Amino acid sequence: MTSTKLAARLVALLALGAALYVPGASGSAGTAADTAAYRDPSLPVSDRVDDLLSRMSLDEKIGQMTQAERSALDPQSDLATYRIGSVLSGGGSAPADNTAAGWADTYDSFQRTALSTPLGIPMIYGADAVHGHNNVYGATIFPHNIGLGATRDPALVNRIGEVTAEEVSGTGIDWTFGPCVCVARNDRWGRTYESFGEDPEIPSAMTSIVDGFQGATLGGPTSILATAKHYVGDGGTEGGVDQGDTRVSEAELRAIHLPPFQAAVERGVGSVMISFSSWNGEKVHGHRYLINDVLKEELGFTGFVISDWAGIDQIDGQPGFTGAEVATAINAGIDMIMVPYDYQQFISLLRAEVEAGQVPMARIDDANRRILTKKFELGLFERPFTDRSYTPSVGSQAHRDLAREAVRESQVLLKNNDDALPLSKSSDKIFVAGKNADDIGNQSGGWTISWQGSSGDITPGTTVLEGIRDTVSPGTTVTYDREGQGIDGSYESAVAVVGETPYAEGEGDRPGGLGLDAADLATLSRLEESGVPLIVVLISGRPMDIATEIDGWDALVTAWLPGTEGQGVADVLFGDHNPTGKLPMTWMREAGQQPINVGDGKPALFEYGYGLDYG
Ligand code: BGC
Ligand code: BGC
């Protein structure tokens, strides 16, 4: 540590008051806390919370409202020093040993630190397990939400929640920042694939995943806390701009964007994350009416509200956060702040706001009551460490089989001239091409191993090409060339797997065209020139502008972002599964139609709900 950093730390510590740091009072046997009522699992949770709250100092309460990034907690003892109640891994923030066991070790180490404080309040660790436990190398990666929306199968999505929770539990993590129940209205938005659909009916139905994550009770052995995000209107911004402004009437906000949150609250979702976006120019992170009045009072949400990543920094439009922003956010009803780096500053600012009477103690107590209730319900006080019996479930065959089933069900057959599909497993020669045919990273999309995702062999899985090779008969020749070079008229069919490459929030916004890139167009025209029947498989996070190309294709399957189990795509191409997927989004005729949505009267290329089968 540099001397200036050390000095800053000392000043911060002094400002917090000496009482905060109690050397030796490490929660070991013999402290008063060991026999305290809050430690007694036979008492009702509300009694335990009352007892614990009565023992907590203001600093301890403020710590519970603070969430810091794993990598920012340096030294790790800061977790105990500042009584920080929660840790997160941001997108791609993995321990050096990015294996299930490495995550479990990291989790347990943080937890030991948290338990070393006098009251021994366990920390709660959150991560974005948004299509499987996607930061973990070797985890099962499920289709992104847009594909799950196409399945129209809430029971399947519930099972995905269950097995994802098992993988998450096997790494110690207690809490996922999912599901995203955004209603994506403009496909230019780079988070469109995180949406189950453009009409609230599908995102509402798919809150079945909340039950899968949380289990029948939060105290189950593989239960994890779920998060409905991003409250509210994240998918409705002008121009589909990420973190932008949702300019709609209250009636429209309630009709389009609110219903999935209501559904999640009815299912007992444990947390809700606030949206970076604004509603008619006002940042939701400071919006007391939407958070306190609508979410908590009207919908009756009893869990806790988490901010988004440094979301409070944006309230006043200036970089960084001030005491006023902290007070505005907490008074609006946010219970825990994803700081994620400047936790010392956050803690001292919140303390100053409370002391100045800007944030009432009742609000601090309410936030703590909500957070601690979930910690008790999760059983963190009784079972604070990773249950290693679930660690081997990460990426298990049984979970991959479920993911393959989800991939199959998510395929949408949009065109099939002259029964070009299904392909015959006993064809002599099949040609496969396209940049997304043999690339696990591309078929998984953003939020996979890293925040934005990346191309290449980033984690184990089966590519679409491998799925095709594994399906055909031994006598079939499958020739692959990424660019489509070398095809001639001797092939019975050509399969082009094209579309988008990985992106996530921000990077994925496409204010210009929504068409295929030059490489894909070149590949496709090579295949078309051969005269071989052309099957196009589109791997993309959203509908694409293909109206001028589609006439040259015999069949079109949209695969969305299937994840690691590309075999599920082959299952549909060869008829092992008769396509059942239906569009969860209206498919534009041209990019200039955005936003285009069901019921708006704009002429679509394919309507919301469209999807063929093999008859
Ligand atoms: C983190 C993400 C986070 C983003 C916010 C990234 O560095 O990895 O988790 O959402 O920053 O800007
Ligand atoms: C994203 C959230 C995510 C958080 C933590 C933010 O940038 O908007 O969806 O849960 O980062 O990674």
Side-chain angles (χ1 to χ4, degrees):
M1 199 183 303
T2 64
S3 55
T4 37
K5 203 174 166 196
L6 184 64
R9 215 167 269 279
L10 280 172
V11 169
L13 264 177
L14 288 173
L16 279 166
L20 191 61
Y21 193 62
V22 190
S26 61
S28 54
T31 62
D34 286 340
T35 52
Y38 77 86
R39 294 235 157 258
D40 182 351
S42 71
L43 294 177
V45 165
S46 59
D47 292 3
R48 299 178 74 185
V49 171
D50 284 342
D51 178 66
L52 180 52
L53 268 180
S54 74
R55 298 166 190 270
M56 289 168 74
S57 66
L58 175 59
D59 292 315
E60 283 165 328
K61 291 176 181 175
I62 288 173
Q64 286 301 309
M65 298 169 69
T66 308
Q67 184 180 61
E69 220 288 327
R70 176 199 64 86
S71 61
L73 284 162
D74 178 19
Q76 199 186 104
S77 56
D78 273 8
L79 187 69
T81 306
Y82 297 97
R83 305 291 192 265
I84 291 169
S86 183
V87 180
L88 92 143
S89 272
S93 174
D97 174 13
N98 187 1
T99 61
W103 278 80
D105 292 343
T106 299
Y107 177 91
D108 285 353
S109 163
F110 276 115
Q111 193 63 288
R112 268 191 297 276
T113 304
L115 296 178
S116 73
T117 55
L119 291 171
I121 304 174
M123 57 116 204
I124 182 169
Y125 197 131
D128 297 280
V130 298
H131 61 146
H133 198 3
N134 44 67
N135 289 312
V136 182
Y137 182 83
T140 308
I141 304 298
F142 291 88
H144 268 298
N145 288 351
I146 193 169
L148 299 183
T151 70
R152 296 292 206 279
D153 189 347
L156 171 77
V157 171
N158 171 277
R159 278 157 63 216
I160 291 172
E162 254 171 49
V163 310
T164 300
E166 202 175 307
E167 297 201 12
V168 171
S169 297
T171 63
I173 307 299
D174 314 292
W175 175 17
T176 177
F177 303 130
C180 184
V181 294
C182 50
V183 183
R185 303 293 284 174
N186 188 323
D187 303 349
R188 297 184 180 285
W189 189 36
R191 305 191 80 159
T192 296
Y193 65 78
E194 295 188 59
S195 174
F196 291 110
E198 71 183 21
D199 185 278
E201 65 167 350
I202 309 180
S204 297
M206 295 308 182
T207 57
S208 59
I209 200 168
V210 169
D211 297 339
F213 286 141
Q214 299 193 344
T217 73
L218 272 181
T222 60
S223 294
I224 60 172
L225 199 74
T227 310
K229 73 184 187 185
H230 309 80
Y231 184 83
V232 56
D234 52 350
T237 61
E238 290 289 306
V241 172
D242 193 44
Q243 310 190 357
D245 190 13
T246 298
R247 276 182 251 151
V248 297
S249 66
E250 180 163 351
E252 186 172 339
L253 190 76
R254 285 176 177 273
I256 304 287
H257 299 284
L258 192 64
F261 289 95
Q262 180 156 15
V265 168
E266 280 163 11
R267 290 180 189 273
V269 72
S271 70
V272 169
M273 188 186 291
I274 300 305
S275 179
F276 281 127
S277 56
S278 304
W279 179 39
N280 295 326
E282 197 180 329
K283 282 283 174 191
V284 183
H285 272 81
H287 213 296
R288 190 179 174 136
Y289 172 70
L290 289 178
I291 303 173
N292 184 70
D293 301 1
V294 176
L295 177 64
K296 288 182 169 175
E297 286 178 4
E298 186 184 318
L299 300 188
F301 173 63
T302 57
F304 66 89
V305 174
I306 173 91
S307 83
D308 202 344
W309 178 280
I312 63 168
D313 299 19
Q314 299 189 14
I315 295 174
D316 66 7
Q318 299 297 119
F321 57 88
T322 62
E325 282 173 305
V326 169
T328 300
I330 306 284
N331 288 333
I334 302 182
D335 301 302
M336 186 188 284
I337 304 293
M338 186 186 288
V339 181
Y341 297 116
D342 301 324
Y343 48 85
Q344 297 179 29
Q345 191 199 348
F346 169 76
I347 287 168
S348 48
L349 287 178
L350 179 52
R351 179 174 241 285
E353 293 299 312
V354 173
E355 283 167 349
Q358 298 299 119
V359 175
M361 251 334 273
R363 180 72 269 279
I364 300 290
D365 284 337
D366 172 54
N368 271 266
R369 193 175 293 282
R370 288 167 178 271
I371 294 163
L372 293 170
T373 297
K374 293 304 161 193
K375 289 188 174 183
F376 280 114
E377 288 176 356
L378 281 163
L380 282 175
F381 286 78
E382 286 70 54
R383 291 171 277 105
F385 297 109
T386 310
D387 183 342
R388 305 266 172 160
S389 63
Y390 294 102
T391 310
S393 81
V394 175
S396 70
Q397 192 54 48
H399 292 181
R400 291 181 186 277
D401 290 347
L402 180 64
R404 172 180 174 178
E405 188 182 331
V407 174
R408 267 190 232 142
E409 284 196 34
S410 66
Q411 304 304 105
V412 184
L413 179 64
L414 292 174
K415 179 176 180 181
N416 195 18
N417 277 9
D418 302 324
D419 294 333
L421 286 175
L423 300 171
S424 165
K425 293 182 190 175
S426 51
S427 303
D428 278 343
K429 291 174 80 181
I430 298 176
F431 198 95
V432 180
K435 67 171 187 274
N436 291 345
D438 194 27
D439 194 307
I440 285 287
N442 287 358
Q443 72 188 44
S444 297
W447 298 105
T448 314
I449 306 301
S450 61
W451 176 38
Q452 294 285 330
S454 60
S455 299
D457 217 359
I458 58 171
T459 195
T462 303
T463 67
V464 175
L465 175 65
E466 287 163 347
I468 291 173
R469 289 197 195 283
D470 290 346
T471 305
V472 295
S473 62
T476 304
T477 302
V478 176
T479 304
Y480 167 65
D481 184 83
R482 188 183 156 105
E483 277 93 39
Q485 309 275 4
I487 189 167
D488 59 35
S490 67
Y491 290 87
E492 281 157 75
S493 28
V495 179
V497 189
V498 295
E500 293 187 312
T501 52
Y503 54 78
E505 33 174 347
E507 309 283 318
D509 288 1
R510 290 184 71 177
L514 285 164
L516 295 169
D517 65 21
D520 282 348
L521 294 174
T523 303
L524 290 166
S525 64
R526 267 179 217 113
L527 300 180
E528 274 174 53
E529 279 162 23
S530 71
V532 172
L534 176 57
I535 316 299
V536 175
V537 175
L538 202 57
I539 289 193
S540 65
R542 54 189 143 203
M544 296 188 74
D545 186 349
I546 51 164
T548 49
E549 288 87 36
I550 193 172
D551 286 345
W553 309 344
D554 296 283
L556 170 61
V557 173
T558 194
W560 313 109
L561 297 169
T564 50
E565 305 314 308
Q567 182 68 51
V569 178
D571 291 342
V572 168
L573 295 178
F574 289 91
D576 283 335
H577 181 83
N578 189 3
T580 49
K582 305 285 175 223
L583 286 181
M585 307 266 171
T586 304
W587 202 290
M588 77 200 102
R589 277 181 188 282
E590 43 131 349
Q593 288 180 311
Q594 293 296 340
I596 176 170
N597 292 295
V598 58
D600 65 11
K602 296 184 187 175
L605 185 61
F606 301 109
E607 303 282 343
Y608 174 86
Y610 188 78
L612 304 169
D613 60 29
Y614 295 149

